[in-house]
Amino acid sequence: MNRFYKYIGASLVALFLYSCATVPLTGRRQLSLVSDKEIQNQATQAYRAFLNDSKTRVVTGTSQATLVKNVGNKIAASVNKYLASQNLQDQYDFNWEFNLIESSDVNAWCMPGGKVAVYTGILPFTLTEAGLATVMGHEIAHAIARHSAEQMSNQQAAAVLGGVIGVASSNSKWAGIINNAYGIGGQLAMLKYSRSNESEADRLGLIFMAMAGYNPAESVKFWQRMANSKSKAGSPPEFLSTHPSDDRRVKDLEKLIPEAMQYYKK
């Protein structure tokens, strides 16, 4: 029996060592047990289900909806150009989509494969095009850093370590996790990222908005507005629920701005 557990332990160590990916720009190694193609296919289904849900109101034909698409396309184009310069374009088969959703929720998100939603409830806080670029750069950074896949891989690893090894033999081994994470067939309940993921998305988001021609220093103003709204409301909006504390975030952003400015082109 001890030999069996040693074998399982060694196999798991080998699995994790050979199932790692590297986050662009930051160079951080992350666990990657999830197929990008499979998770993106599932995410596309979830995105379509969300947009087609009777409770979802997609805003079209307005200046705000146009702005969301324009800012998103600028950031996506800059990200694609950067990935190509690093010979990483083959690793990111993204089909970008940007939609404005009528909702009082102060929220925005980007699914694997570049499926983005911005809620109208966050627009009073973005205020400017650069403020919107701050939000969208941050959310797009989650997708480029494969944070959803990383969180799902961590869940899968925990399941294996807990003895649920049989799930690995299923052809749809990720379907249950993805369905739970993204609420396929109804309103989305987005996967919660760790604080370390959020901090990494802050760093990458600054760089991505800078690449797209937005001054990364404008990000501090947005997060200060968000912090003020949280203090007045007494509880954080969903968009801030797993993020670092306000003081820490602003201080960290100020430290990161010089790095992002190296990519800034007006």
PDB file of all heavy atoms in Angstrom, residues 40-75:
ATOM      1  N   GLN A  40     -12.116  26.984 -24.090  1.00  0.00           N
ATOM      2  CA  GLN A  40     -12.617  28.074 -24.917  1.00  0.00           C
ATOM      3  C   GLN A  40     -13.928  27.689 -25.602  1.00  0.00           C
ATOM      4  O   GLN A  40     -14.821  28.523 -25.757  1.00  0.00           O
ATOM      5  CB  GLN A  40     -11.558  28.493 -25.935  1.00  0.00           C
ATOM      6  CG  GLN A  40     -10.398  29.250 -25.313  1.00  0.00           C
ATOM      7  CD  GLN A  40      -9.352  29.684 -26.321  1.00  0.00           C
ATOM      8  OE1 GLN A  40      -9.635  29.808 -27.509  1.00  0.00           O
ATOM      9  NE2 GLN A  40      -8.137  29.920 -25.857  1.00  0.00           N
ATOM     10  N   ASN A  41     -14.043  26.436 -26.020  1.00  0.00           N
ATOM     11  CA  ASN A  41     -15.307  25.978 -26.600  1.00  0.00           C
ATOM     12  C   ASN A  41     -16.428  26.056 -25.574  1.00  0.00           C
ATOM     13  O   ASN A  41     -17.547  26.498 -25.877  1.00  0.00           O
ATOM     14  CB  ASN A  41     -15.159  24.542 -27.107  1.00  0.00           C
ATOM     15  CG  ASN A  41     -14.331  24.448 -28.376  1.00  0.00           C
ATOM     16  OD1 ASN A  41     -14.167  25.439 -29.094  1.00  0.00           O
ATOM     17  ND2 ASN A  41     -13.799  23.272 -28.663  1.00  0.00           N
ATOM     18  N   GLN A  42     -16.129  25.625 -24.349  1.00  0.00           N
ATOM     19  CA  GLN A  42     -17.130  25.697 -23.289  1.00  0.00           C
ATOM     20  C   GLN A  42     -17.471  27.147 -22.964  1.00  0.00           C
ATOM     21  O   GLN A  42     -18.629  27.498 -22.721  1.00  0.00           O
ATOM     22  CB  GLN A  42     -16.614  24.981 -22.038  1.00  0.00           C
ATOM     23  CG  GLN A  42     -16.473  23.475 -22.182  1.00  0.00           C
ATOM     24  CD  GLN A  42     -17.814  22.753 -22.127  1.00  0.00           C
ATOM     25  OE1 GLN A  42     -18.802  23.310 -21.680  1.00  0.00           O
ATOM     26  NE2 GLN A  42     -17.839  21.526 -22.581  1.00  0.00           N
ATOM     27  N   ALA A  43     -16.453  28.009 -22.951  1.00  0.00           N
ATOM     28  CA  ALA A  43     -16.683  29.420 -22.654  1.00  0.00           C
ATOM     29  C   ALA A  43     -17.530  30.084 -23.731  1.00  0.00           C
ATOM     30  O   ALA A  43     -18.403  30.903 -23.428  1.00  0.00           O
ATOM     31  CB  ALA A  43     -15.348  30.142 -22.515  1.00  0.00           C
ATOM     32  N   THR A  44     -17.289  29.724 -24.982  1.00  0.00           N
ATOM     33  CA  THR A  44     -18.094  30.278 -26.077  1.00  0.00           C
ATOM     34  C   THR A  44     -19.559  29.880 -25.921  1.00  0.00           C
ATOM     35  O   THR A  44     -20.473  30.691 -26.123  1.00  0.00           O
ATOM     36  CB  THR A  44     -17.564  29.792 -27.437  1.00  0.00           C
ATOM     37  OG1 THR A  44     -16.226  30.272 -27.614  1.00  0.00           O
ATOM     38  CG2 THR A  44     -18.427  30.298 -28.582  1.00  0.00           C
ATOM     39  N   GLN A  45     -19.801  28.617 -25.547  1.00  0.00           N
ATOM     40  CA  GLN A  45     -21.173  28.165 -25.307  1.00  0.00           C
ATOM     41  C   GLN A  45     -21.802  28.958 -24.160  1.00  0.00           C
ATOM     42  O   GLN A  45     -22.972  29.360 -24.231  1.00  0.00           O
ATOM     43  CB  GLN A  45     -21.181  26.674 -24.979  1.00  0.00           C
ATOM     44  CG  GLN A  45     -20.787  25.767 -26.124  1.00  0.00           C
ATOM     45  CD  GLN A  45     -20.782  24.300 -25.706  1.00  0.00           C
ATOM     46  OE1 GLN A  45     -21.575  23.872 -24.878  1.00  0.00           O
ATOM     47  NE2 GLN A  45     -19.864  23.524 -26.270  1.00  0.00           N
ATOM     48  N   ALA A  46     -21.022  29.166 -23.108  1.00  0.00           N
ATOM     49  CA  ALA A  46     -21.530  29.895 -21.959  1.00  0.00           C
ATOM     50  C   ALA A  46     -21.850  31.342 -22.326  1.00  0.00           C
ATOM     51  O   ALA A  46     -22.865  31.905 -21.887  1.00  0.00           O
ATOM     52  CB  ALA A  46     -20.520  29.854 -20.818  1.00  0.00           C
ATOM     53  N   TYR A  47     -20.985  31.945 -23.122  1.00  0.00           N
ATOM     54  CA  TYR A  47     -21.179  33.338 -23.544  1.00  0.00           C
ATOM     55  C   TYR A  47     -22.435  33.468 -24.398  1.00  0.00           C
ATOM     56  O   TYR A  47     -23.243  34.388 -24.219  1.00  0.00           O
ATOM     57  CB  TYR A  47     -19.953  33.796 -24.319  1.00  0.00           C
ATOM     58  CG  TYR A  47     -19.860  35.291 -24.553  1.00  0.00           C
ATOM     59  CD1 TYR A  47     -19.657  36.169 -23.489  1.00  0.00           C
ATOM     60  CD2 TYR A  47     -19.936  35.825 -25.843  1.00  0.00           C
ATOM     61  CE1 TYR A  47     -19.536  37.537 -23.705  1.00  0.00           C
ATOM     62  CE2 TYR A  47     -19.814  37.183 -26.066  1.00  0.00           C
ATOM     63  CZ  TYR A  47     -19.614  38.044 -24.991  1.00  0.00           C
ATOM     64  OH  TYR A  47     -19.497  39.405 -25.209  1.00  0.00           O
ATOM     65  N   ARG A  48     -22.625  32.528 -25.341  1.00  0.00           N
ATOM     66  CA  ARG A  48     -23.824  32.544 -26.180  1.00  0.00           C
ATOM     67  C   ARG A  48     -25.082  32.366 -25.322  1.00  0.00           C
ATOM     68  O   ARG A  48     -26.101  33.042 -25.532  1.00  0.00           O
ATOM     69  CB  ARG A  48     -23.751  31.423 -27.223  1.00  0.00           C
ATOM     70  CG  ARG A  48     -22.657  31.537 -28.246  1.00  0.00           C
ATOM     71  CD  ARG A  48     -23.118  32.323 -29.488  1.00  0.00           C
ATOM     72  NE  ARG A  48     -23.174  33.750 -29.252  1.00  0.00           N
ATOM     73  CZ  ARG A  48     -22.083  34.551 -29.238  1.00  0.00           C
ATOM     74  NH1 ARG A  48     -20.885  34.048 -29.450  1.00  0.00           N
ATOM     75  NH2 ARG A  48     -22.201  35.836 -29.028  1.00  0.00           N
ATOM     76  N   ALA A  49     -25.001  31.453 -24.358  1.00  0.00           N
ATOM     77  CA  ALA A  49     -26.146  31.218 -23.481  1.00  0.00           C
ATOM     78  C   ALA A  49     -26.462  32.462 -22.670  1.00  0.00           C
ATOM     79  O   ALA A  49     -27.635  32.808 -22.473  1.00  0.00           O
ATOM     80  CB  ALA A  49     -25.858  30.037 -22.546  1.00  0.00           C
ATOM     81  N   PHE A  50     -25.433  33.152 -22.211  1.00  0.00           N
ATOM     82  CA  PHE A  50     -25.626  34.383 -21.447  1.00  0.00           C
ATOM     83  C   PHE A  50     -26.282  35.459 -22.297  1.00  0.00           C
ATOM     84  O   PHE A  50     -27.268  36.095 -21.883  1.00  0.00           O
ATOM     85  CB  PHE A  50     -24.279  34.872 -20.920  1.00  0.00           C
ATOM     86  CG  PHE A  50     -24.323  36.245 -20.319  1.00  0.00           C
ATOM     87  CD1 PHE A  50     -24.938  36.463 -19.094  1.00  0.00           C
ATOM     88  CD2 PHE A  50     -23.745  37.315 -20.980  1.00  0.00           C
ATOM     89  CE1 PHE A  50     -24.977  37.735 -18.535  1.00  0.00           C
ATOM     90  CE2 PHE A  50     -23.779  38.580 -20.427  1.00  0.00           C
ATOM     91  CZ  PHE A  50     -24.401  38.797 -19.205  1.00  0.00           C
ATOM     92  N   LEU A  51     -25.773  35.679 -23.509  1.00  0.00           N
ATOM     93  CA  LEU A  51     -26.316  36.717 -24.377  1.00  0.00           C
ATOM     94  C   LEU A  51     -27.749  36.411 -24.796  1.00  0.00           C
ATOM     95  O   LEU A  51     -28.561  37.335 -24.984  1.00  0.00           O
ATOM     96  CB  LEU A  51     -25.437  36.890 -25.620  1.00  0.00           C
ATOM     97  CG  LEU A  51     -24.010  37.405 -25.393  1.00  0.00           C
ATOM     98  CD1 LEU A  51     -23.269  37.510 -26.729  1.00  0.00           C
ATOM     99  CD2 LEU A  51     -24.005  38.751 -24.680  1.00  0.00           C
ATOM    100  N   ASN A  52     -28.070  35.129 -24.947  1.00  0.00           N
ATOM    101  CA  ASN A  52     -29.403  34.722 -25.400  1.00  0.00           C
ATOM    102  C   ASN A  52     -30.397  34.551 -24.261  1.00  0.00           C
ATOM    103  O   ASN A  52     -31.581  34.319 -24.509  1.00  0.00           O
ATOM    104  CB  ASN A  52     -29.311  33.421 -26.200  1.00  0.00           C
ATOM    105  CG  ASN A  52     -28.563  33.599 -27.506  1.00  0.00           C
ATOM    106  OD1 ASN A  52     -28.600  34.667 -28.115  1.00  0.00           O
ATOM    107  ND2 ASN A  52     -27.873  32.560 -27.945  1.00  0.00           N
ATOM    108  N   ASP A  53     -29.922  34.649 -23.043  1.00  0.00           N
ATOM    109  CA  ASP A  53     -30.807  34.496 -21.891  1.00  0.00           C
ATOM    110  C   ASP A  53     -31.829  35.636 -21.866  1.00  0.00           C
ATOM    111  O   ASP A  53     -31.504  36.792 -22.154  1.00  0.00           O
ATOM    112  CB  ASP A  53     -29.986  34.500 -20.599  1.00  0.00           C
ATOM    113  CG  ASP A  53     -30.814  34.068 -19.401  1.00  0.00           C
ATOM    114  OD1 ASP A  53     -31.619  34.893 -18.908  1.00  0.00           O
ATOM    115  OD2 ASP A  53     -30.669  32.921 -18.961  1.00  0.00           O
ATOM    116  N   SER A  54     -33.059  35.315 -21.528  1.00  0.00           N
ATOM    117  CA  SER A  54     -34.131  36.318 -21.530  1.00  0.00           C
ATOM    118  C   SER A  54     -33.887  37.441 -20.529  1.00  0.00           C
ATOM    119  O   SER A  54     -34.439  38.540 -20.665  1.00  0.00           O
ATOM    120  CB  SER A  54     -35.473  35.643 -21.227  1.00  0.00           C
ATOM    121  OG  SER A  54     -35.445  35.020 -19.952  1.00  0.00           O
ATOM    122  N   LYS A  55     -33.049  37.185 -19.527  1.00  0.00           N
ATOM    123  CA  LYS A  55     -32.764  38.195 -18.513  1.00  0.00           C
ATOM    124  C   LYS A  55     -31.618  39.126 -18.909  1.00  0.00           C
ATOM    125  O   LYS A  55     -31.397  40.143 -18.255  1.00  0.00           O
ATOM    126  CB  LYS A  55     -32.419  37.516 -17.183  1.00  0.00           C
ATOM    127  CG  LYS A  55     -33.552  36.697 -16.596  1.00  0.00           C
ATOM    128  CD  LYS A  55     -33.111  36.038 -15.302  1.00  0.00           C
ATOM    129  CE  LYS A  55     -34.227  35.180 -14.715  1.00  0.00           C
ATOM    130  NZ  LYS A  55     -33.781  34.499 -13.473  1.00  0.00           N
ATOM    131  N   THR A  56     -30.917  38.778 -19.975  1.00  0.00           N
ATOM    132  CA  THR A  56     -29.778  39.578 -20.410  1.00  0.00           C
ATOM    133  C   THR A  56     -30.229  40.607 -21.441  1.00  0.00           C
ATOM    134  O   THR A  56     -30.865  40.261 -22.433  1.00  0.00           O
ATOM    135  CB  THR A  56     -28.686  38.684 -21.034  1.00  0.00           C
ATOM    136  OG1 THR A  56     -28.265  37.725 -20.072  1.00  0.00           O
ATOM    137  CG2 THR A  56     -27.488  39.522 -21.462  1.00  0.00           C
ATOM    138  N   ARG A  57     -29.878  41.863 -21.195  1.00  0.00           N
ATOM    139  CA  ARG A  57     -30.212  42.940 -22.125  1.00  0.00           C
ATOM    140  C   ARG A  57     -28.925  43.492 -22.722  1.00  0.00           C
ATOM    141  O   ARG A  57     -28.178  44.219 -22.064  1.00  0.00           O
ATOM    142  CB  ARG A  57     -30.978  44.049 -21.399  1.00  0.00           C
ATOM    143  CG  ARG A  57     -32.344  43.611 -20.868  1.00  0.00           C
ATOM    144  CD  ARG A  57     -33.045  44.762 -20.162  1.00  0.00           C
ATOM    145  NE  ARG A  57     -33.250  45.904 -21.058  1.00  0.00           N
ATOM    146  CZ  ARG A  57     -33.670  47.103 -20.656  1.00  0.00           C
ATOM    147  NH1 ARG A  57     -33.917  47.316 -19.367  1.00  0.00           N
ATOM    148  NH2 ARG A  57     -33.831  48.087 -21.520  1.00  0.00           N
ATOM    149  N   VAL A  58     -28.650  43.119 -23.958  1.00  0.00           N
ATOM    150  CA  VAL A  58     -27.460  43.586 -24.651  1.00  0.00           C
ATOM    151  C   VAL A  58     -27.746  44.957 -25.260  1.00  0.00           C
ATOM    152  O   VAL A  58     -28.735  45.136 -25.969  1.00  0.00           O
ATOM    153  CB  VAL A  58     -27.045  42.604 -25.757  1.00  0.00           C
ATOM    154  CG1 VAL A  58     -25.781  43.105 -26.467  1.00  0.00           C
ATOM    155  CG2 VAL A  58     -26.803  41.213 -25.177  1.00  0.00           C
ATOM    156  N   VAL A  59     -26.905  45.930 -24.962  1.00  0.00           N
ATOM    157  CA  VAL A  59     -27.077  47.295 -25.465  1.00  0.00           C
ATOM    158  C   VAL A  59     -26.390  47.425 -26.821  1.00  0.00           C
ATOM    159  O   VAL A  59     -25.207  47.088 -26.964  1.00  0.00           O
ATOM    160  CB  VAL A  59     -26.481  48.330 -24.487  1.00  0.00           C
ATOM    161  CG1 VAL A  59     -26.693  49.750 -25.018  1.00  0.00           C
ATOM    162  CG2 VAL A  59     -27.099  48.176 -23.101  1.00  0.00           C
ATOM    163  N   THR A  60     -27.115  47.899 -27.813  1.00  0.00           N
ATOM    164  CA  THR A  60     -26.547  48.096 -29.147  1.00  0.00           C
ATOM    165  C   THR A  60     -26.963  49.461 -29.679  1.00  0.00           C
ATOM    166  O   THR A  60     -27.975  50.026 -29.269  1.00  0.00           O
ATOM    167  CB  THR A  60     -27.037  47.010 -30.131  1.00  0.00           C
ATOM    168  OG1 THR A  60     -28.472  47.056 -30.218  1.00  0.00           O
ATOM    169  CG2 THR A  60     -26.603  45.621 -29.677  1.00  0.00           C
ATOM    170  N   GLY A  61     -26.163  49.984 -30.608  1.00  0.00           N
ATOM    171  CA  GLY A  61     -26.523  51.212 -31.298  1.00  0.00           C
ATOM    172  C   GLY A  61     -26.385  52.484 -30.498  1.00  0.00           C
ATOM    173  O   GLY A  61     -26.870  53.542 -30.929  1.00  0.00           O
ATOM    174  N   THR A  62     -25.755  52.453 -29.348  1.00  0.00           N
ATOM    175  CA  THR A  62     -25.557  53.659 -28.546  1.00  0.00           C
ATOM    176  C   THR A  62     -24.082  54.040 -28.552  1.00  0.00           C
ATOM    177  O   THR A  62     -23.217  53.225 -28.883  1.00  0.00           O
ATOM    178  CB  THR A  62     -26.018  53.455 -27.091  1.00  0.00           C
ATOM    179  OG1 THR A  62     -25.125  52.532 -26.442  1.00  0.00           O
ATOM    180  CG2 THR A  62     -27.429  52.906 -27.038  1.00  0.00           C
ATOM    181  N   SER A  63     -23.796  55.282 -28.141  1.00  0.00           N
ATOM    182  CA  SER A  63     -22.411  55.727 -28.088  1.00  0.00           C
ATOM    183  C   SER A  63     -21.620  54.926 -27.062  1.00  0.00           C
ATOM    184  O   SER A  63     -20.429  54.647 -27.261  1.00  0.00           O
ATOM    185  CB  SER A  63     -22.355  57.219 -27.746  1.00  0.00           C
ATOM    186  OG  SER A  63     -22.986  57.483 -26.491  1.00  0.00           O
ATOM    187  N   GLN A  64     -22.277  54.533 -25.971  1.00  0.00           N
ATOM    188  CA  GLN A  64     -21.587  53.742 -24.948  1.00  0.00           C
ATOM    189  C   GLN A  64     -21.241  52.352 -25.460  1.00  0.00           C
ATOM    190  O   GLN A  64     -20.142  51.844 -25.219  1.00  0.00           O
ATOM    191  CB  GLN A  64     -22.451  53.644 -23.685  1.00  0.00           C
ATOM    192  CG  GLN A  64     -22.583  54.957 -22.923  1.00  0.00           C
ATOM    193  CD  GLN A  64     -23.451  54.815 -21.691  1.00  0.00           C
ATOM    194  OE1 GLN A  64     -24.371  53.985 -21.644  1.00  0.00           O
ATOM    195  NE2 GLN A  64     -23.178  55.617 -20.673  1.00  0.00           N
ATOM    196  N   ALA A  65     -22.182  51.730 -26.163  1.00  0.00           N
ATOM    197  CA  ALA A  65     -21.934  50.401 -26.723  1.00  0.00           C
ATOM    198  C   ALA A  65     -20.801  50.455 -27.746  1.00  0.00           C
ATOM    199  O   ALA A  65     -19.937  49.566 -27.789  1.00  0.00           O
ATOM    200  CB  ALA A  65     -23.199  49.846 -27.363  1.00  0.00           C
ATOM    201  N   THR A  66     -20.793  51.518 -28.562  1.00  0.00           N
ATOM    202  CA  THR A  66     -19.727  51.692 -29.554  1.00  0.00           C
ATOM    203  C   THR A  66     -18.380  51.897 -28.876  1.00  0.00           C
ATOM    204  O   THR A  66     -17.360  51.349 -29.310  1.00  0.00           O
ATOM    205  CB  THR A  66     -20.035  52.893 -30.462  1.00  0.00           C
ATOM    206  OG1 THR A  66     -21.268  52.659 -31.152  1.00  0.00           O
ATOM    207  CG2 THR A  66     -18.923  53.110 -31.481  1.00  0.00           C
ATOM    208  N   LEU A  67     -18.389  52.664 -27.782  1.00  0.00           N
ATOM    209  CA  LEU A  67     -17.141  52.914 -27.057  1.00  0.00           C
ATOM    210  C   LEU A  67     -16.564  51.621 -26.480  1.00  0.00           C
ATOM    211  O   LEU A  67     -15.352  51.392 -26.544  1.00  0.00           O
ATOM    212  CB  LEU A  67     -17.392  53.922 -25.934  1.00  0.00           C
ATOM    213  CG  LEU A  67     -16.150  54.347 -25.132  1.00  0.00           C
ATOM    214  CD1 LEU A  67     -15.141  55.057 -26.033  1.00  0.00           C
ATOM    215  CD2 LEU A  67     -16.553  55.254 -23.968  1.00  0.00           C
ATOM    216  N   VAL A  68     -17.426  50.777 -25.928  1.00  0.00           N
ATOM    217  CA  VAL A  68     -16.974  49.500 -25.380  1.00  0.00           C
ATOM    218  C   VAL A  68     -16.299  48.672 -26.467  1.00  0.00           C
ATOM    219  O   VAL A  68     -15.222  48.090 -26.245  1.00  0.00           O
ATOM    220  CB  VAL A  68     -18.150  48.726 -24.749  1.00  0.00           C
ATOM    221  CG1 VAL A  68     -17.774  47.262 -24.481  1.00  0.00           C
ATOM    222  CG2 VAL A  68     -18.590  49.390 -23.446  1.00  0.00           C
ATOM    223  N   LYS A  69     -16.905  48.612 -27.629  1.00  0.00           N
ATOM    224  CA  LYS A  69     -16.324  47.833 -28.728  1.00  0.00           C
ATOM    225  C   LYS A  69     -15.009  48.452 -29.214  1.00  0.00           C
ATOM    226  O   LYS A  69     -14.032  47.735 -29.483  1.00  0.00           O
ATOM    227  CB  LYS A  69     -17.320  47.718 -29.881  1.00  0.00           C
ATOM    228  CG  LYS A  69     -18.532  46.854 -29.552  1.00  0.00           C
ATOM    229  CD  LYS A  69     -19.433  46.680 -30.758  1.00  0.00           C
ATOM    230  CE  LYS A  69     -20.684  45.863 -30.417  1.00  0.00           C
ATOM    231  NZ  LYS A  69     -20.355  44.473 -30.013  1.00  0.00           N
ATOM    232  N   ASN A  70     -14.978  49.789 -29.312  1.00  0.00           N
ATOM    233  CA  ASN A  70     -13.766  50.455 -29.802  1.00  0.00           C
ATOM    234  C   ASN A  70     -12.591  50.264 -28.841  1.00  0.00           C
ATOM    235  O   ASN A  70     -11.475  49.948 -29.267  1.00  0.00           O
ATOM    236  CB  ASN A  70     -14.036  51.945 -30.012  1.00  0.00           C
ATOM    237  CG  ASN A  70     -14.910  52.220 -31.225  1.00  0.00           C
ATOM    238  OD1 ASN A  70     -15.080  51.348 -32.091  1.00  0.00           O
ATOM    239  ND2 ASN A  70     -15.473  53.405 -31.306  1.00  0.00           N
ATOM    240  N   VAL A  71     -12.846  50.478 -27.551  1.00  0.00           N
ATOM    241  CA  VAL A  71     -11.779  50.317 -26.566  1.00  0.00           C
ATOM    242  C   VAL A  71     -11.319  48.860 -26.534  1.00  0.00           C
ATOM    243  O   VAL A  71     -10.112  48.572 -26.503  1.00  0.00           O
ATOM    244  CB  VAL A  71     -12.252  50.767 -25.166  1.00  0.00           C
ATOM    245  CG1 VAL A  71     -11.215  50.396 -24.098  1.00  0.00           C
ATOM    246  CG2 VAL A  71     -12.507  52.272 -25.146  1.00  0.00           C
ATOM    247  N   GLY A  72     -12.275  47.945 -26.549  1.00  0.00           N
ATOM    248  CA  GLY A  72     -11.925  46.526 -26.537  1.00  0.00           C
ATOM    249  C   GLY A  72     -11.093  46.130 -27.737  1.00  0.00           C
ATOM    250  O   GLY A  72     -10.092  45.412 -27.604  1.00  0.00           O
ATOM    251  N   ASN A  73     -11.490  46.608 -28.911  1.00  0.00           N
ATOM    252  CA  ASN A  73     -10.748  46.257 -30.124  1.00  0.00           C
ATOM    253  C   ASN A  73      -9.347  46.851 -30.127  1.00  0.00           C
ATOM    254  O   ASN A  73      -8.394  46.229 -30.622  1.00  0.00           O
ATOM    255  CB  ASN A  73     -11.517  46.728 -31.361  1.00  0.00           C
ATOM    256  CG  ASN A  73     -12.706  45.824 -31.683  1.00  0.00           C
ATOM    257  OD1 ASN A  73     -12.634  44.608 -31.512  1.00  0.00           O
ATOM    258  ND2 ASN A  73     -13.807  46.410 -32.122  1.00  0.00           N
ATOM    259  N   LYS A  74      -9.186  48.050 -29.572  1.00  0.00           N
ATOM    260  CA  LYS A  74      -7.860  48.659 -29.485  1.00  0.00           C
ATOM    261  C   LYS A  74      -6.941  47.831 -28.595  1.00  0.00           C
ATOM    262  O   LYS A  74      -5.784  47.559 -28.941  1.00  0.00           O
ATOM    263  CB  LYS A  74      -7.967  50.089 -28.931  1.00  0.00           C
ATOM    264  CG  LYS A  74      -8.462  51.126 -29.910  1.00  0.00           C
ATOM    265  CD  LYS A  74      -8.454  52.499 -29.256  1.00  0.00           C
ATOM    266  CE  LYS A  74      -8.983  53.566 -30.193  1.00  0.00           C
ATOM    267  NZ  LYS A  74      -8.984  54.902 -29.535  1.00  0.00           N
ATOM    268  N   ILE A  75      -7.459  47.437 -27.438  1.00  0.00           N
ATOM    269  CA  ILE A  75      -6.648  46.648 -26.517  1.00  0.00           C
ATOM    270  C   ILE A  75      -6.341  45.284 -27.112  1.00  0.00           C
ATOM    271  O   ILE A  75      -5.207  44.795 -27.051  1.00  0.00           O
ATOM    272  CB  ILE A  75      -7.353  46.513 -25.154  1.00  0.00           C
ATOM    273  CG1 ILE A  75      -7.485  47.888 -24.492  1.00  0.00           C
ATOM    274  CG2 ILE A  75      -6.576  45.560 -24.239  1.00  0.00           C
ATOM    275  CD1 ILE A  75      -8.264  47.864 -23.189  1.00  0.00           C
TER     276      ILE A  75
END
